[in-house]
Amino acid sequence: MSTTKQATRAPRGGARRSGRSGRVLWGVSHGLVWLYALALVLPLYYLVISSFKKTTDIFDSPLTPPVDPVWHYFEDAIRYARLDLALVNSALVTAAALALTLLLALPASFALARSRGRLSALLERIFAMGFLVPTFAALVPTFLMAAYTGLFHTRTFVILLLPAGALPLSVVLLTQFMRTVPPELEESARVDGATTWTVLWRVFVPLSMPGIATVLLLNFLNFWNEYLYSLVIIGPDTSQRTIQVALPTLQANQATEYGVLMAGTAVTLIPVYIVYIVLQRRMEQALISGAVKM
Amino acid sequence: MHPTPTTPPTAPAATGRRPRRTRREGSPVTLLAVPALVWYLLFTLGPLLAMFYISGLSWPGMLAPRSWAGWENYRAVLDDPLFWQAVRNSAIQIGVVLPVMIVAAFMVGYYLTLKPRGHRLLRVVLFTPALISASAKAMMAYSVLAPNGMLNGLLDTVGLGGLGRAWLADTDTALACIMAIDLWNGIGFTAVLFAARLGSVPEEIYEAAELDGAGHWRRMWRIAFPVTKDYVGVTTMLQFLWILFSSAQNVLLLTQGGPGNATTNLSFLVYNKAFVQSDLGYSQAAGVLLFGVGLVGMLAIRRLLRQNY
């Protein structure tokens, strides 16, 4: 009893002992952390309000909300950069790349989770090492590969390419999940005459749904937000390019008003924020488990 | 009647054990991993090897004829003052951003684990940069830093308009802006990661130290940090790679390496030589050197932040 009492009282005791300077420091750290938080939020706030303000108002009173909001910037942004087509392209690329990622990663994780051979240990290590290969390094050769395969300036090549970068993390995360499936379940399925394929889809996949959700959320963010490879490979064709490639074209046009650029940026953020608001906890968990992938 | 009671216990054990054994030792099921492996190697290892090969070619543009150049590209790169300026810019960028980011993120992460008032809201705010794409972040940075953007507008409002300038087009501030964006981008999410890791440190470890009257500063650096050093090391490594390689995107979208070459760093140089100046050999020779820098830096960080107990 006495030890727990001491322990619970200790934090306050510790703070008290450091005295006034301690309290001042504590106050300063509150201040600094919230100052940084403000720095994170302020540009977002500025982005939203500027989407409704005339250029002169944006500069004269940068932080005041729009007095008489201008609504046509969203329409302008969509028309100038064909953001409507770009949204569809991004959705297509993201969905197709996600499907392909699962199609490749699920059987692989299944194989790695249930075999203990030396070969599968080696394979797992190869995938685990994949986190440390910076994707940027392969930019130019990948661009040449797209050119030589005749899939240059198409979404198709990006759809084929994105899963490759996502595979290491997806395979490692899914393997961890599939290891928790009790072998007895598989054995009883086998007794009922199930094939390996049936075991994978009927036993392992349903039981690894949380892992699959994590992988999907994480890769949704990565695929939707991918910029450099899409820029280099898809290029300027409005019927093929994704939203991340289309957006900066608004800036390149010097005549563009700020409001249009801000409204366009806001449009690109909407899908991500919808998913985030609906699946906040899951998304945060996914990002945390996916960040340090070792 | 007699055999029946003896057979059931042995039969399931045999059928239960036999398939498990054969499956676990290099069975055809491992083949299911092959498509993923091939896919991964085709798009990652293949291009990486190609980078080494191309770095030995004289190849002035995609449609131009190419010929073997040996070490010629490396000589050109190492003789190029622009390359050394890019090395300098990357060194400044990494040297300032990485320590500041990791130390600040660790402190914010520790702060989060104390669950101060508003920590839930704070956590949501800190996630912001992790959700937004590179191009959207760049557009936001542009709108803040442009001559008639938010920063100058704010300075004007508080009567410090004299300090205002074209932040991204000024040689003195352009690189600092790129670095500030790295920090803006990196501290919050890294802090959330550290908070998650610190949350799994058993309370007894702190309690033992608390009895000796350790304040937060000492708790943080004498206990929390050594206990999680390995995790901090891996995170530092990944942030290092991110800053070294991916900041090409910010440079491309915001300054194009300028003004002059003030913001040309190594990754942007690799991009620019290939896609703007169409010198594929030079670009990939620089790419190989950049890859080497990444490898050496990673090993150095690993050594520096290894768990030492």
Side-chain angles (χ1 to χ4, degrees):
Chain A
M1 271 309 272
S2 66
T3 47
T4 52
K5 221 176 192 177
Q6 255 177 325
T8 48
R9 208 189 285 156
R12 251 178 274 145
R16 201 177 296 149
R17 212 163 305 172
S18 32
R20 232 178 74 191
S21 69
R23 232 174 305 142
V24 170
L25 267 178
W26 185 232
V28 168
S29 36
H30 275 300
L32 285 176
V33 170
W34 284 100
L35 198 67
Y36 173 63
L38 186 70
L40 286 179
V41 175
L42 206 57
L44 268 181
Y45 167 74
Y46 179 70
L47 173 90
V48 173
I49 59 163
S50 302
S51 306
F52 299 99
K53 285 160 76 174
K54 289 202 197 72
T55 308
T56 47
D57 295 342
I58 292 175
F59 186 64
D60 289 342
S61 45
L63 293 184
T64 39
V67 189
D68 52 331
V70 185
W71 289 93
H72 63 83
Y73 287 143
F74 286 91
E75 209 187 310
D76 292 350
I78 290 170
R79 210 179 46 231
Y80 293 167
R82 289 316 303 265
L83 293 182
D84 48 342
L85 293 179
L87 274 170
V88 174
N89 287 334
S90 272
L92 267 175
V93 168
T94 306
L98 281 177
L100 187 55
T101 305
L102 280 190
L103 205 65
L104 289 163
L106 282 172
S109 319
F110 175 62
L112 295 183
R114 56 203 286 295
S115 54
R116 292 271 150 74
R118 219 175 281 163
L119 180 66
S120 66
L122 175 72
L123 290 182
E124 203 176 347
R125 194 159 314 149
I126 291 177
F127 280 117
M129 290 287 282
F131 307 132
L132 294 175
V133 179
T135 43
F136 175 85
L139 182 68
V140 175
T142 309
F143 157 82
L144 293 169
M145 195 165 148
Y148 285 126
T149 49
L151 292 170
F152 198 37
H153 286 181
T154 65
R155 295 171 299 223
T156 317
F157 190 85
V158 173
I159 292 172
L160 299 176
L161 171 71
L162 288 177
L167 275 174
L169 174 61
S170 308
V171 169
V172 169
L173 282 179
L174 287 174
T175 305
Q176 282 167 10
F177 264 90
M178 291 194 176
R179 285 239 165 84
T180 65
V181 175
E184 290 74 22
L185 284 179
E186 184 186 348
E187 275 150 29
S188 63
R190 291 267 174 193
V191 170
D192 294 342
T195 61
T196 305
W197 203 242
T198 324
V199 170
L200 168 58
W201 292 110
R202 293 284 164 78
V203 179
F204 278 76
V205 168
L207 287 172
S208 349
M209 272 306 166
I212 293 175
T214 301
V215 166
L216 282 177
L217 274 176
L218 208 57
N219 290 329
F220 158 73
L221 260 191
N222 289 339
F223 295 169
W224 183 270
N225 285 342
E226 206 290 315
Y227 171 64
L228 204 52
Y229 274 88
S230 305
L231 170 76
V232 163
I233 290 164
I234 301 180
D237 182 357
T238 50
S239 68
Q240 297 282 323
R241 71 186 180 189
T242 59
I243 190 111
Q244 308 301 344
V245 179
L247 173 65
T249 60
L250 285 174
Q251 177 210 17
N253 185 349
Q254 291 295 321
T256 312
E257 281 179 274
Y258 268 111
V260 176
L261 182 61
M262 296 295 94
T265 310
V267 169
T268 70
L269 296 182
I270 290 168
V272 170
Y273 270 89
I274 289 176
V275 175
Y276 181 62
I277 288 165
V278 176
L279 295 167
Q280 191 201 341
R281 279 254 78 106
R282 263 195 187 279
M283 193 129 173
E284 291 178 1
Q285 279 309 314
L287 280 166
I288 289 171
S289 60
V292 179
K293 317 116 169 176
M294 290 174 61
Chain B
M1 281 302 273
H2 279 288
T4 25
T6 48
T7 38
T10 50
T15 51
R17 208 172 286 154
R18 205 186 307 130
R20 197 187 292 167
R21 224 176 243 149
T22 45
R23 244 183 284 135
R24 291 228 159 130
E25 274 152 34
S27 78
V29 175
T30 312
L31 290 178
L32 286 175
V34 170
L37 185 73
V38 169
W39 206 275
Y40 169 65
L41 294 180
L42 180 69
F43 284 102
T44 312
L45 197 66
L48 218 54
L49 293 176
M51 174 176 74
F52 284 86
Y53 174 65
I54 298 167
S55 76
L57 294 177
S58 165
W59 195 356
M62 240 187 75
L63 300 173
R66 51 181 191 264
S67 55
W68 186 247
W71 297 102
E72 218 36 61
N73 287 318
Y74 289 92
R75 195 166 305 147
V77 170
L78 294 173
D79 281 345
D80 188 352
L82 179 58
F83 172 75
W84 291 107
Q85 165 132 38
V87 169
R88 207 187 65 110
N89 288 340
S90 277
I92 295 174
Q93 197 186 3
I94 301 276
V96 174
V97 171
L98 197 60
V100 172
M101 182 192 293
I102 297 300
V103 170
F106 193 81
M107 288 166 68
V108 176
Y110 178 83
Y111 178 87
L112 275 178
T113 57
L114 301 175
K115 303 208 185 323
R117 210 185 309 153
H119 72 275
R120 279 174 211 286
L121 174 65
L122 191 60
R123 205 179 279 262
V124 171
V125 172
L126 292 176
F127 259 105
T128 309
L131 301 175
I132 303 175
S133 73
S135 52
K137 275 179 218 164
M139 293 308 107
M140 283 163 67
Y142 171 75
S143 73
V144 170
L145 298 168
N148 50 353
M150 184 180 88
L151 187 55
N152 283 349
L154 275 182
L155 287 173
D156 233 22
T157 323
V158 296
L160 290 169
L163 289 175
R165 56 174 87 198
W167 300 95
L168 289 165
D170 192 316
T171 322
D172 296 332
T173 53
L175 186 60
C177 285
I178 298 290
M179 286 158 47
I181 296 167
D182 286 335
L183 285 174
W184 181 88
N185 189 21
I187 293 176
F189 183 55
T190 314
V192 176
L193 293 181
F194 287 157
R197 176 66 187 84
L198 286 169
S200 66
V201 172
E203 198 48 40
E204 297 84 57
I205 296 185
Y206 290 123
E207 277 165 10
E210 217 126 43
L211 296 178
D212 304 322
H216 282 305
W217 187 260
R218 280 184 55 194
R219 271 166 58 108
M220 185 160 56
W221 295 116
R222 295 282 175 80
I223 304 156
F225 179 70
V227 169
T228 56
K229 205 168 169 188
D230 226 23
Y231 189 88
V232 174
V234 175
T235 314
T236 309
M237 226 154 69
L238 293 171
Q239 284 291 357
F240 164 74
L241 291 178
W242 178 257
I243 300 166
L244 186 66
F245 287 97
S246 303
S247 55
Q249 303 183 93
N250 284 335
V251 176
L252 171 68
L253 285 163
L254 290 170
T255 63
Q256 314 269 321
N261 292 308
T263 54
T264 300
N265 57 16
L266 282 170
S267 55
F268 181 73
L269 183 72
V270 171
Y271 175 91
N272 205 44
K273 282 287 173 186
F275 297 113
V276 179
Q277 300 180 14
S278 290
D279 190 344
L280 294 170
Y282 180 111
S283 158
Q284 294 308 279
V288 168
L289 295 175
L290 173 61
F291 190 75
V293 169
L295 214 61
V296 171
M298 226 163 64
L299 292 175
I301 292 167
R302 190 92 194 101
R303 263 198 100 79
L304 195 70
L305 291 171
R306 203 178 356 193
Q307 202 77 342
N308 43 10
Y309 62 76

